[in-house]
Amino acid sequence: MKYLTKEWYDTCQQTGLHFGLRVHKGAGALDEALFQRLYKRKEKEHVKQEREIYDTDPRFMLESDGQVMTRADKAFSGEEITAEDQMVYHMPPEERAHIEKLIAEYDVRPAFDVKQCKDKYKEAIEWNYQYHAEKLPADILNQIADIRVFALGYCTSEVMQQLKKKSAENTQEMERIGQEYREVMVNQNIADDVRNQVQFHDCQVKELLPSENLVIRFDNRGGFTEMNKLTLIAPEILKQEGEVVGSHWLYQELYRIDNGYELHVLLDGEPMPELIVRCTDIVAEILE
């Protein structure tokens, strides 16, 4: 990758460092009693929210069947709504069957397990401690008296100001690189039909089959394309780093070269896999 690199991706993840945080005057000192009090408060809120979700009867999802739906532009225009502007939603049989299965499971569900909920919350918070300790800028991390209190969502006003400043700087850098990338891509002289074939964001790579051609097969259920097979003709693999198979496709850069294309791909993972391939042509298909 030349622009949408791992470093650029890390910068993207650091544009909201202050999100979800509140200033607390006690966050400037290590105070076990304060941590325990805040932890209990947050734990109680979490258990309440999870219980409400657990006790939500899925029958409400059947209410949409048979509802009259109005075109959004007409609904907000203030104009008279005619029959042509409306339609009746009829739920597909498979969707109804799925909801009825959820209802059957709901009706025989055991009592809400408070202890299990608290245990999972504890695990999540402990993971959060570690994440912030690894990801926060070192100069800001050193000013946090208790990373546990920070992970619960509290910090000093000084730390908040620095997090906002750093987030703004990262946003500016992310947008600068993104603009450079877009300008370079526009000048690649690649036909739209070719460029549009290589749109596998959030699709999972299921197979990577190198031979005369390089075939990549996808699970596209999490993506935004119907295509699930990509063939790179007469490939030359310049770089294959990390576990490509099993990872999710994030971003690509597609360059025009003398005898075809050079495709750069960044995938999700730890560490993040990367694939760079030269080829003479690109073919995307829907594989049944």
Side-chain angles (χ1 to χ4, degrees), residues 39-80:
Y39 183 91
K40 290 298 181 184
R41 179 193 301 171
K42 289 286 190 176
E43 180 188 61
K44 183 178 179 180
E45 292 172 357
H46 176 77
V47 170
K48 180 176 182 290
Q49 182 182 59
E50 290 298 303
R51 188 193 295 274
E52 289 174 352
I53 294 171
Y54 188 78
D55 288 338
T56 299
D57 192 328
R59 287 174 176 83
F60 80 91
M61 291 188 281
L62 294 174
E63 295 172 2
S64 62
D65 194 20
Q67 283 191 344
V68 177
M69 304 175 68
T70 304
R71 283 173 43 191
D73 58 338
K74 281 288 187 178
F76 296 103
S77 68
E79 300 175 6
E80 182 181 355

Side-chain angles (χ1 to χ4, degrees), residues 9-216:
Y9 182 81
D10 285 341
T11 300
C12 294
Q13 307 311 302
Q14 300 277 310
T15 57
L17 295 170
H18 58 293
F19 290 174
L21 285 169
R22 295 176 59 186
V23 170
H24 194 293
K25 61 182 180 181
L30 187 62
D31 185 336
E32 185 64 24
L34 172 66
F35 166 70
Q36 292 297 335
R37 186 167 68 253
L38 294 176
Y39 183 91
K40 290 298 181 184
R41 179 193 301 171
K42 289 286 190 176
E43 180 188 61
K44 183 178 179 180
E45 292 172 357
H46 176 77
V47 170
K48 180 176 182 290
Q49 182 182 59
E50 290 298 303
R51 188 193 295 274
E52 289 174 352
I53 294 171
Y54 188 78
D55 288 338
T56 299
D57 192 328
R59 287 174 176 83
F60 80 91
M61 291 188 281
L62 294 174
E63 295 172 2
S64 62
D65 194 20
Q67 283 191 344
V68 177
M69 304 175 68
T70 304
R71 283 173 43 191
D73 58 338
K74 281 288 187 178
F76 296 103
S77 68
E79 300 175 6
E80 182 181 355
I81 296 173
T82 65
E84 288 74 22
D85 299 322
Q86 296 181 318
M87 64 168 286
V88 177
Y89 174 71
H90 296 290
M91 185 176 290
E94 60 272 17
E95 184 178 351
R96 173 172 282 274
H98 174 68
I99 295 172
E100 288 173 347
K101 180 175 181 291
L102 294 177
I103 292 170
E105 293 171 350
Y106 174 83
D107 287 342
V108 296
R109 74 196 189 287
F112 180 72
D113 192 331
V114 175
K115 181 181 182 304
Q116 183 183 68
C117 183
K118 289 183 176 181
D119 288 345
K120 288 183 177 180
Y121 179 72
K122 183 173 182 290
E123 290 175 8
I125 289 298
E126 288 175 349
W127 180 89
N128 219 5
Y129 304 159
Q130 187 65 31
Y131 175 82
H132 288 303
E134 293 175 357
K135 297 296 184 179
L136 282 173
D139 57 331
I140 297 178
L141 179 64
N142 291 337
Q143 299 175 57
I144 296 173
D146 191 339
I147 193 65
R148 301 175 304 166
V149 170
F150 184 89
L152 288 172
Y154 301 96
C155 67
T156 63
S157 59
E158 293 80 10
V159 167
M160 178 69 85
Q161 290 171 6
Q162 291 179 56
L163 290 171
K164 288 181 177 180
K165 181 174 182 291
K166 189 64 176 178
S167 294
E169 292 172 354
N170 288 338
T171 298
Q172 186 176 25
E173 178 66 3
M174 175 190 73
E175 292 175 348
R176 182 190 67 78
I177 294 173
Q179 182 61 31
E180 288 183 6
Y181 159 75
R182 286 187 290 272
E183 290 172 358
V184 169
M185 291 299 104
V186 165
N187 294 323
Q188 287 306 304
N189 191 29
I190 296 174
D192 288 343
D193 62 328
V194 174
R195 192 184 305 280
N196 291 339
Q197 289 188 78
V198 190
Q199 299 294 333
F200 293 97
H201 182 72
D202 281 350
C203 294
Q204 184 182 34
V205 177
K206 300 301 291 182
E207 291 183 300
L208 188 71
L209 306 172
S211 59
E212 292 183 7
N213 301 320
L214 179 62
V215 176
I216 308 174

